[in-house]
Amino acid sequence: MAKRREGDVYLEIVQMGNVCRCSAIDARTNTEVSIVAPATYSRYTMEQNAIRKLRRVLAQGDRRGGGAGGSGGTVV
């Protein structure tokens, strides 16, 4: 298995009717975020917005001193 490097991100786009859900997962911390966008948006736009949101969530976790995310979500 390949080593996970700093900055590696997995992306998934799922179309549901006239909207798409784009998820971005940080490979190192397993932090996941999702956005919902109109299906008419380009793949590039959805991916960049999801990555931007992921970077913001990771940065907020670092500022809080909590590790990945730090948003208080529930682990199932």
Side-chain angles (χ1 to χ4, degrees), residues 2-72:
K3 264 191 161 179
R4 294 179 180 167
R5 300 173 308 195
E6 181 83 25
D8 283 351
V9 175
Y10 300 109
L11 294 164
E12 175 187 50
I13 299 175
V14 177
Q15 185 169 351
M16 300 173 287
N18 61 350
V19 297
C20 289
R21 179 180 51 85
C22 182
S23 299
I25 305 162
D26 181 69
R28 188 174 54 83
T29 64
N30 291 327
T31 301
E32 180 177 357
V33 299
S34 295
I35 65 160
V36 177
T40 57
Y41 276 21
S42 70
R43 178 185 182 117
Y44 176 80
T45 300
M46 287 187 273
E47 289 175 352
Q48 291 304 305
N49 284 325
I51 290 170
R52 204 171 294 128
K53 182 176 180 179
L54 177 62
R55 300 284 182 242
R56 187 177 68 241
V57 167
L58 292 172
Q60 286 174 350
D62 289 343
R63 273 189 264 131
R64 291 182 185 154
S71 62

